[in-house]
Amino acid sequence: TIYFLSKTLAKPNVKNIVLVDGVRTPFLLSGTSYSDLMPHDLGRGALQGLLNRTGVPKEIVDHIIYGIVIQEVKTSNVAREAALGAGFSDKTPAHTVTMACISSNQAMTSAVGLIAAGQCDVVVAGGVEFMSDVPIRHSRKMRKTMLSLNKAKTLGQRLSLLGSIRMGHLMPELPAVAEFSTAESMGHSADRLAAAFGVTRVEQDEYALRSHRLAKKAQDEGLLSDIISFQVPGKNIISADNGIRPTSMEQMGKLKPAFVKPHGTVTAANSSFLTDGASAVLIMSEEKALALGYKPKAYLRDFVYVSQDPKDQLLLGPTYATPKVLEKSGLTMEDIDVFEFHEAFAGQIVANLKAMDSDWFAQNCMGRKSKVGVPPMEKFNTWGGSLSLGHPFAATGCRLVTTVAHRLQKEGGQYGVVAACAAGGQVFLPKYTYAQLARADTEYSRGATVQVFLVHSFGLFSVHVLCMKMTMCKSVQKHF
Amino acid sequence: MSSSLLARTYANYEIKDGVAVIRINDPNSKVNTLSKPLQAEMTEILEEIWGNSAVKGAVLISSKPGSFIAGADLNMIQACKSAEEVTTLSQEGQKMFDKIEKSPIPIVAAINGSCLGGGLEFAIACQYRLATKSKKTVLGTPEVMLGLLPGAGGTQRLPKMLGIPAAFDMMLTGRNIRPDKAKKMGLVHQLVDPLGPGLKSPEEATIQYLETVAIEAAKNLANKKLSVKKEKGLVQKLQDMVMGLPFVRKQIYNMVTKKVMGQTKGLYPAPLKIIECVQTGIEKGTTAGSLAESVNFGNLAMTSESLALRGLYHGQVACKKNNFGSPARDVKNLAVLGAGLMGAGIAQVTVDKSVRTILKDTTVEGLTRGQQQVYKGLNDKTKKKAITSFQRDTTMSFLTGQLDYRGFDQADMVIEAVFEDLNVKHKVIKEVEAVIPPHCIFATNTSALPIKEIAAASKRPEKVIGMHYFSPVDKMQLLEIITTDKTSKDTTASAVAVGLKQGKIIIVVGDGPGFYTTRCLAAMLAEAVRVLQEGVGPKKLDALTKGLGFPVGGAALADEVGIDVAAHVAEDLGKALGSRFGGGNVEVLKTMVQKGYKGRKSGKGCYVYEKKSKDKKVNPGVEEILKNHKSCTDVQYRLLSRFVNESVLCLQEGILPDPVQGDIGAVFGLGFPPCLGGPFRFVDSFGADKLVQKMHRYEEVYGNQFSPCQLLLDHAKDSNKRFHK
């Protein structure tokens, strides 16, 4: 077993990349204590928390990548706004990524890519979602009138444009409630998925209850140590999630189906809820981390993204991606000590577990000879999940990765797997299904052998890109 | 808790949790039909269930993924010798469904796939209806399209269930109703989503899901947790109140009758009988209504119209099969030459089935117009909510518009739709053959040029075939495929496969001037021109042809086809086939073309076409031309007999393989009156001897254009000879 434990997944000619630490704000039901903030406020909180907890010198951060799904138009590059507000150096470039519910997974894997490519050594990644306020727009007709109004030269033209406004112009446009490609809401899709795998209402309620109970236990035992307190400006300090509500099967059983009526099985109680929250992680090359004297929490080894049919397989990503990443690293299900899967809906999790346990599905839908195999439940989301802790779309990925690292440390495991489908909560829906997997393995028995690296603070390339951006802005302005 | 009893052939049941799940599955067919043995087994099952006190409810479901019950078994009606026999059939159905309606336990119809005709009548007799939102799920009463009426209680139950106007609309149009609409109308109570793959195939999973939901509904109905009675909305209440007034109802009957007469010209008896049955049921009670229903059903089944329409139905089914086997290669990349009306239409129906299609033209203007036509066709579907904007865009992505031959080296089939000129076609075939791979098929979309003449320029005539589409391609169902004696069987198989994929009804005919359809049409149009020359105006001519049952009048049809095309074809066929194609003077058409009266496309033909004006005005210029070409009743039979004689001659000459394809081609491609069932059905029902007599009379007056062909004479001599059994 000694040999086994020292089995390393390091790849020749690729830098070892490590998770130094990760934090998150408390996740709150939207419309509660965070309701008067803006997205970048929460992002700032997470980033500041990361600075405080790790003590990383601001000047050595090469790049900041942040994810978000529902964008506030005033802060479209929310990464930059949050970073500046959090006190990061204004010389550190920051960009925002979006990939539905796995936006911060995308932020992290982009960071891994930058480090692996030798572009950076120290990258901060994270994500924020703020559902207490969403952009509700004027109707297209009204917007067109208003834009024409800008160009109108005479009073007469302006008046005639104003006169063309009708009642219909005043109808606001809400963010899409349905998948753009299929016009189907996520909850509806989850309900159909549950039915396709014969997942019963009771199974879903039981799973949701498990999530809440385990989250409560983890909260009570102080295991959710990735949480940093957040001071709502001018108000109180928030230091715990507020969506964890272990009730009873009876109470959950009383709820009516939320999407498919009257015979559906997905309810408000067995779905993840609309959440406000932000998360952040510090990722470095191993050499760099060690040079700085850190004891990293985990290696980030490998990842896979997959896409499927957005209609019938929207939420099945984890089933497809898990075996892929395992095979890529030469591991099997049995090697994994910790599983953290994103819980969009209880029905979706149970459906994925059934899919992984099905030879029919493996043979007919995945082109495999036999089933993937099911993760043992005692290793699966044992500190709660999105159903109970909450699911701020773009912040969930970092929570999953940090949780894996913490669980591996706490439970003494070696390998962990994170999987998430790009499933929205109940209302706002992403475009495709991507499942993302970041593998973390801890083999941190090595001492902190210090090597000193030269700090390449800004590559010429980054500066160049920023300059280009400036000129572009100018030329765009001229154009107008 | 499950017990399966005596195994039966067409239907079986098991009891699940106090609910009897009756599964229908006809072992001999892809679809379930309401046949005698099924009805017998069903009656047995129902008696058993009703006799079993442990059964609290029942679910009626089909084990076939695409079909609940697709209708009554037509052969059952065909086998009847008299109206009385058919009436008895109808009454048996009525009795069975009455029993179901009065069932002491709730019966839930769980509908997935086609639920049509007798199947729908079965479902509406049940206490509760569930339907899946599957694409294959359609509900409807298509009996009227077969010249029949819903004969198992449909005319009595539907008006009560949906209200008189909606019921009339449904039964008189026979249109398919999609699940969402059915729910809105009140035809079904609850909808169930189709599922994707899970632990079983999507089809199996969906049926099982439907069954589970239906069992739940049956249990809830039995223990009164679920009520069938729905609170009526204000609009519904108001409508009911208005319908309560006998005066209003009378107005409706009159209005509907008038509309039906306007549309059918009184040529179709079934719609009128449907109105009669509904009226009797509402005004005189269900007993009288049901009697009227069964008697009228029996009578209608014996009419020549119903026989003709049923013949067309069978023919259409036969022409949706590939009788040439499966082709060696699937056509995955198709190229269309010429982005005109035809070319773009062909491209549209091809990309619609997710086949990568190149649309090539020679000018940017032509190409842009063609691509816009495809987009418009798809966008109109989006506007009607038949597809989403996303599906439209995905479908459009299969289309590549270009001016050069890039990518033709990957093409499996090229369909040319360039200008109808032999030299142009020869040039094109040579250009194309230089760039396509050896296996690629070259299909030519011509309406009259003989394929072997086009193929003469080819290095590989076995790969050349004619594919004659009808305009507008996305609306017209027919595709006429023309083979030469050199065309290989695999080429034909491939062309038929492509046509079927495009959703076409296909006839495969032999090569010759005008093939089949153009030849028949040309004969009739030649007569139409003569009729015009005789002083019958275009409006009168159109009224006469429409009076026969043609959907478009003779003059209007010439305008649609294009006067230049008609002149071209008339001249060519006249040369090739001789004086038989005489009658009208080709000079009439030629003069019209010279003056720019080319039909609808040029804004003027027999009529003047103005945008936004629905009422066409006769083109005064044409009246002038006709005066200068001056040359009775019986006009209708003159037109018809020339059409029919030419069809029969095509069969005699072997251009047509059989009468069925002849009838289908004439009706679906040329609008031959459906109530007559096609030229061959017409000869059978009208009598070849009577037709020949008429023709001889015309022959004396007009000449050899009316000489009956030998095959027609043979049929006239021997009344036992019939084209259809």
Side-chain angles (χ1 to χ4, degrees):
Chain A
T1 53
I2 302 241
Y3 288 111
F4 176 72
L5 277 173
S6 65
K7 174 176 173 184
T8 172
L9 299 172
K11 294 176 195 160
N13 306 323
V14 176
K15 283 186 193 173
N16 284 333
I17 294 163
V18 296
L19 172 76
V20 176
D21 210 342
V23 299
R24 65 178 176 95
T25 69
F27 286 175
L28 301 192
L29 296 158
S30 61
T32 58
S33 302
Y34 293 151
S35 61
D36 294 329
L37 301 175
M38 283 178 67
H40 72 282
D41 290 326
L42 281 179
R44 199 176 64 221
L47 288 172
Q48 238 167 356
L50 189 71
L51 276 180
N52 293 341
R53 184 165 290 182
T54 60
V56 65
K58 292 164 192 173
E59 316 78 53
I60 70 156
V61 177
D62 296 323
H63 203 101
I64 296 165
I65 310 172
Y66 230 58
I68 190 163
V69 178
I70 308 290
Q71 300 212 355
E72 161 63 53
V73 283
K74 284 182 191 161
T75 57
S76 64
N77 187 3
V78 69
R80 181 71 173 162
E81 312 305 339
L84 287 176
F88 277 89
S89 162
D90 60 3
K91 307 284 190 300
T92 304
H95 80 270
T96 301
V97 293
T98 190
M99 199 172 181
C101 300
I102 51 171
S103 294
S104 63
N105 306 61
Q106 182 54 60
M108 287 184 288
T109 54
S110 300
V112 167
L114 283 175
I115 297 170
Q119 291 290 324
C120 301
D121 275 312
V122 179
V123 181
V124 170
V128 59
E129 207 63 48
F130 188 69
M131 302 302 292
S132 290
D133 181 34
V134 293
I136 295 170
R137 299 195 293 180
H138 270 301
S139 68
R140 181 78 190 247
K141 281 186 208 155
M142 188 65 178
R143 299 196 315 260
K144 200 174 172 188
T145 312
M146 289 163 90
L147 289 170
S148 310
L149 211 53
N150 263 349
K151 287 183 200 154
K153 292 199 174 65
T154 66
L155 183 67
Q157 282 175 348
R158 278 186 209 122
L159 285 177
S160 92
L161 275 168
L162 285 173
S164 72
I165 296 174
R166 298 279 172 275
M167 276 305 282
H169 286 61
L170 302 176
M171 275 297 286
E173 206 175 275
L174 297 167
V177 185
E179 191 87 351
F180 182 74
S181 61
T182 61
E184 184 182 29
S185 82
M186 182 71 59
H188 201 278
S189 187
D191 209 315
R192 284 196 306 116
L193 182 73
F197 284 94
V199 182
T200 63
R201 166 77 181 267
V202 170
E203 282 177 294
Q204 294 181 43
D205 285 356
E206 274 171 358
Y207 184 84
L209 192 57
R210 170 191 190 266
S211 180
H212 280 278
R213 285 191 178 143
L214 290 174
K216 183 79 172 85
K217 186 161 172 276
Q219 192 177 46
D220 291 346
E221 289 173 7
L223 298 173
L224 306 178
S225 61
D226 54 340
I227 297 180
I228 44 106
S229 296
F230 182 82
Q231 155 106 53
V232 180
K235 287 189 184 158
N236 49 335
I237 294 175
I238 308 289
S239 36
D241 304 329
N242 72 355
I244 307 171
R245 291 172 182 176
T247 52
S248 64
M249 286 299 286
E250 291 69 41
Q251 285 217 297
M252 293 176 90
K254 282 181 193 160
L255 286 177
K256 289 214 163 122
F259 301 97
V260 174
K261 292 163 187 171
H263 53 271
T265 50
V266 173
T267 69
N270 60 36
S271 312
S272 56
F273 48 86
L274 294 183
T275 315
D276 299 337
S279 59
V281 294
L282 180 60
I283 299 174
M284 295 190 193
S285 62
E286 183 183 24
E287 296 95 320
K288 184 73 182 179
L290 299 181
L292 290 168
Y294 285 111
K295 191 174 177 193
K297 292 194 161 165
Y299 284 113
L300 300 176
R301 282 300 187 201
D302 212 337
F303 61 86
V304 162
Y305 288 86
V306 297
S307 295
Q308 291 92 230
D309 161 28
K311 174 92 185 149
D312 290 328
Q313 312 217 327
L314 188 66
L315 305 164
L316 278 178
T319 301
Y320 282 90
T322 306
K324 266 196 182 169
V325 84
L326 290 179
E327 277 152 26
K328 237 175 122 185
S329 335
L331 295 174
T332 64
M333 248 350 177
E334 289 73 44
D335 295 330
I336 306 300
D337 303 300
V338 165
F339 291 89
E340 278 292 323
F341 278 33
H342 161 50
E343 301 167 343
F345 300 90
Q348 163 256 335
I349 285 288
V350 181
N352 269 286
L353 295 176
K354 293 202 176 191
M356 292 167 111
D357 198 27
S358 161
D359 282 324
W360 188 92
F361 188 83
Q363 284 154 5
N364 291 282
C365 298
M366 298 176 71
R368 288 171 60 91
K369 285 205 181 84
S370 61
K371 63 188 178 189
V372 174
V374 192
M377 289 314 278
E378 65 275 13
K379 295 179 180 176
F380 192 86
N381 292 12
T382 50
W383 293 0
S386 298
L387 286 169
S388 46
L389 301 170
H391 174 39
F393 305 147
T396 292
C398 290
R399 175 186 70 76
L400 293 170
V401 168
T402 309
T403 305
V404 165
H406 288 175
R407 279 182 57 200
L408 284 171
Q409 282 186 332
K410 173 90 183 160
E411 294 161 8
Q414 194 182 14
Y415 299 113
V417 169
V418 162
C421 56
Q426 297 88 324
V427 183
F428 301 97
L429 307 156
K431 245 180 159 173
Y432 297 107
T433 306
Y434 299 96
Q436 190 269 353
L437 251 127
R439 280 212 50 256
D441 71 53
T442 50
E443 39 179 4
Y444 254 91
S445 43
R446 277 195 265 170
T449 46
V450 181
Q451 283 184 345
V452 181
F453 271 99
L454 229 90
V455 179
H456 297 267
S457 50
F458 303 104
L460 200 60
F461 181 68
S462 325
V463 179
H464 185 65
V465 169
L466 281 178
C467 290
M468 264 178 53
K469 197 179 160 194
M470 292 292 289
T471 35
M472 252 176 65
C473 287
K474 273 182 193 148
S475 65
V476 168
Q477 274 164 357
K478 249 189 244 165
H479 211 73
F480 274 92
Chain B
M1 276 294 284
S2 88
S3 66
S4 60
L5 291 132
L6 181 74
R8 296 182 173 87
T9 317
Y10 294 86
N12 273 296
Y13 77 101
E14 66 171 315
I15 298 167
K16 274 186 166 177
D17 213 4
V19 175
V21 181
I22 308 167
R23 298 196 185 88
I24 313 165
N25 194 358
D26 185 336
N28 308 317
S29 166
K30 263 197 212 163
V31 295
N32 294 317
T33 49
L34 219 50
S35 60
K36 273 192 172 165
L38 173 64
Q39 287 186 37
E41 290 190 8
M42 192 59 78
T43 311
E44 276 175 35
I45 289 175
L46 287 169
E47 293 302 337
E48 273 182 39
I49 289 171
W50 285 327
N52 183 346
S53 61
V55 177
K56 304 291 176 219
V59 166
L60 182 69
I61 194 166
S62 157
S63 304
K64 291 189 196 294
S67 161
F68 175 70
I69 300 174
D73 181 6
L74 281 181
N75 298 327
M76 193 165 72
I77 297 168
Q78 207 76 22
C80 292
K81 297 270 180 314
S82 69
E84 289 70 31
E85 265 183 75
V86 183
T87 298
T88 312
L89 275 183
S90 161
Q91 282 166 348
E92 279 164 11
Q94 287 177 348
K95 259 184 233 155
M96 174 168 155
F97 294 159
D98 280 347
K99 267 194 192 170
I100 287 169
E101 191 176 36
K102 294 187 184 111
S103 164
I105 55 165
I107 303 178
V108 175
I111 302 159
N112 179 48
S114 52
C115 173
L116 301 170
L120 182 100
E121 293 178 288
F122 198 158
I124 60 173
C126 294
Q127 280 67 34
Y128 197 81
R129 282 164 296 286
L130 283 161
T132 65
K133 287 206 248 176
S134 154
K135 275 189 183 155
K136 285 186 176 161
T137 301
V138 285
L139 297 94
T141 45
E143 288 90 342
V144 70
M145 295 198 271
L146 301 173
L148 299 169
L149 53 76
T155 65
Q156 304 305 303
R157 285 195 183 89
L158 283 172
K160 283 179 205 147
M161 184 177 281
L162 312 174
I164 299 173
F168 270 142
D169 181 63
M170 190 173 164
M171 288 189 282
L172 293 175
T173 62
R175 75 166 63 112
N176 280 341
I177 298 166
R178 310 223 53 94
D180 285 312
K181 180 85 197 297
K183 171 91 188 334
K184 250 186 222 157
M185 289 167 66
L187 200 54
V188 300
H189 298 89
Q190 194 178 329
L191 295 179
V192 173
D193 288 287
L195 301 181
L199 300 175
K200 287 174 180 169
S201 71
E203 294 77 22
E204 283 175 276
T206 302
I207 291 180
Q208 197 179 16
Y209 182 41
L210 175 67
E211 186 181 301
T212 313
V213 177
I215 291 174
E216 201 57 34
K219 280 200 285 191
N220 288 339
L221 281 166
N223 62 26
K224 311 274 187 250
K225 266 195 209 162
L226 182 67
S227 160
V228 183
K229 288 255 153 52
K230 273 236 167 118
E231 271 294 300
K232 281 183 177 171
L234 187 66
V235 180
Q236 189 62 45
K237 277 184 188 162
L238 219 65
Q239 199 189 341
D240 287 359
M241 205 182 75
V242 175
M243 287 299 157
L245 306 169
F247 164 76
V248 174
R249 291 201 301 270
K250 196 159 183 218
Q251 278 299 309
I252 290 184
Y253 300 137
N254 287 342
M255 212 176 68
V256 174
T257 308
K258 219 170 128 189
K259 208 170 168 196
V260 164
M261 284 306 287
Q263 283 182 0
T264 64
K265 318 269 176 226
L267 294 168
Y268 295 84
L272 298 172
K273 293 296 172 197
I274 290 174
I275 300 172
E276 189 189 309
C277 292
V278 171
Q279 190 170 359
T280 312
I282 300 252
E283 307 302 331
K284 296 186 184 152
T286 310
T287 317
S290 297
L291 185 65
E293 184 184 87
S294 59
V295 171
N296 279 324
F297 187 72
N299 291 337
L300 282 174
M302 293 296 137
T303 58
S304 66
E305 289 84 0
S306 176
L307 205 65
L309 292 170
R310 270 151 40 207
L312 284 176
Y313 170 77
H314 288 302
Q316 189 186 336
V317 172
C319 291
K320 286 222 162 203
K321 286 187 187 128
N322 194 343
N323 298 322
F324 297 84
S326 44
R329 300 173 82 122
D330 262 357
V331 171
K332 291 194 177 120
N333 296 298
L334 190 133
V336 180
L337 293 177
L341 220 55
M342 275 293 180
I346 297 167
Q348 187 191 325
V349 296
T350 316
V351 291
D352 199 46
K353 297 295 177 300
S354 305
V355 176
R356 253 189 295 280
T357 306
I358 292 173
L359 183 60
K360 182 198 173 300
D361 203 283
T362 48
T363 66
V364 177
E365 293 75 30
L367 184 62
T368 313
R369 197 216 62 81
Q371 279 179 305
Q372 267 165 5
Q373 182 189 327
V374 178
Y375 181 79
K376 190 177 173 295
L378 295 171
N379 199 38
D380 287 349
K381 277 193 185 176
T382 313
K383 281 187 192 156
K384 284 184 200 148
K385 305 230 164 116
I387 56 171
T388 65
S389 60
F390 190 82
Q391 285 167 320
R392 174 200 65 204
D393 297 345
T394 320
T395 306
M396 261 323 261
S397 74
F398 285 99
L399 185 73
T400 315
Q402 61 190 50
L403 299 171
D404 54 15
Y405 283 108
R406 200 163 19 99
F408 273 60
D409 53 345
Q410 300 291 319
D412 302 307
M413 178 183 282
V414 174
I415 302 178
E416 69 78 16
V418 301
F419 188 64
E420 290 267 47
D421 178 281
L422 196 59
N423 292 329
V424 177
K425 304 247 182 206
H426 278 173
K427 184 173 160 266
V428 160
I429 206 169
K430 280 178 189 150
E431 271 178 28
V432 169
E433 284 190 350
V435 289
I436 53 176
H439 75 273
C440 181
I441 290 162
F442 184 90
T444 170
N445 172 60
T446 174
S447 49
L449 296 175
I451 309 301
K452 50 181 161 296
E453 284 180 29
I454 296 176
S458 169
K459 285 184 287 189
R460 40 217 267 302
E462 73 282 1
K463 295 278 183 199
V464 179
I465 194 163
M467 288 173 88
H468 178 201
Y469 289 87
F470 293 76
S471 186
V473 180
D474 59 326
K475 302 262 157 38
M476 294 295 285
Q477 288 175 284
L478 191 74
L479 168 63
E480 182 180 30
I481 289 179
I482 306 107
T483 59
T484 70
D485 43 13
K486 289 193 179 137
T487 308
S488 74
K489 192 181 161 211
D490 185 62
T491 300
T492 313
S494 194
V496 174
V498 166
L500 288 176
K501 197 166 207 182
Q502 291 166 335
K504 299 290 166 201
I505 298 171
I506 296 169
I507 61 170
V508 180
V509 304
D511 193 19
F515 329 123
Y516 168 61
T517 54
T518 307
R519 208 169 127 178
C520 299
L521 185 66
M524 190 177 82
L525 283 183
E527 195 58 27
V529 171
R530 171 152 62 194
V531 170
L532 287 173
Q533 282 177 267
E534 284 167 0
V536 176
K539 281 219 162 170
K540 177 77 184 157
L541 172 67
D542 280 2
L544 285 169
T545 24
K546 278 186 175 171
L548 275 172
F550 277 92
V552 180
L557 184 63
D559 275 2
E560 294 294 333
V561 172
I563 303 293
D564 51 339
V565 176
H568 215 262
V569 170
E571 208 174 13
D572 283 358
L573 291 190
K575 271 183 209 154
L577 301 170
S579 57
R580 201 172 75 245
F581 276 77
N585 192 337
V586 183
E587 288 307 313
V588 174
L589 296 173
K590 281 182 156 175
T591 318
M592 283 175 74
V593 175
Q594 273 166 20
K595 296 224 167 187
Y597 304 154
K598 290 184 187 168
R600 180 185 279 279
K601 59 189 167 191
S602 65
K604 274 182 188 174
C606 296
Y607 294 99
V608 179
Y609 295 90
E610 281 162 349
K611 269 189 188 164
K612 285 178 190 168
S613 158
K614 268 211 153 174
D615 190 36
K616 293 178 289 198
K617 276 185 240 141
V618 173
N619 183 0
V622 167
E623 285 183 318
E624 192 63 30
I625 296 171
L626 289 172
K627 258 187 214 158
N628 297 336
H629 283 280
K630 246 198 155 172
S631 70
C632 64
T633 60
D634 277 345
V635 167
Q636 291 183 322
Y637 280 108
R638 277 164 56 196
L639 295 167
L640 208 53
S641 58
R642 287 197 63 180
F643 191 118
V644 170
N645 187 44
E646 206 56 40
S647 300
V648 177
L649 190 55
C650 282
L651 183 65
Q652 181 185 317
E653 289 175 358
I655 296 276
L656 266 181
D658 55 54
V660 171
Q661 298 195 50
D663 281 347
I664 292 294
V667 173
F668 289 94
L670 307 172
F672 191 89
C675 55
L676 303 180
F680 296 95
R681 178 79 59 183
F682 169 73
V683 173
D684 280 355
S685 62
F686 186 77
D689 47 346
K690 265 168 78 189
L691 183 65
V692 165
Q693 259 177 25
K694 272 193 192 288
M695 288 183 73
H696 281 316
R697 253 183 49 222
Y698 301 143
E699 196 179 5
E700 278 168 31
V701 183
Y702 300 104
N704 72 342
Q705 297 99 42
F706 286 98
S707 313
C709 68
Q710 191 54 48
L711 186 57
L712 197 54
L713 287 172
D714 292 349
H715 275 247
K717 263 184 228 147
D718 182 356
S719 65
N720 287 327
K721 278 198 170 156
R722 301 179 77 80
F723 292 113
H724 294 282
K725 273 177 213 153

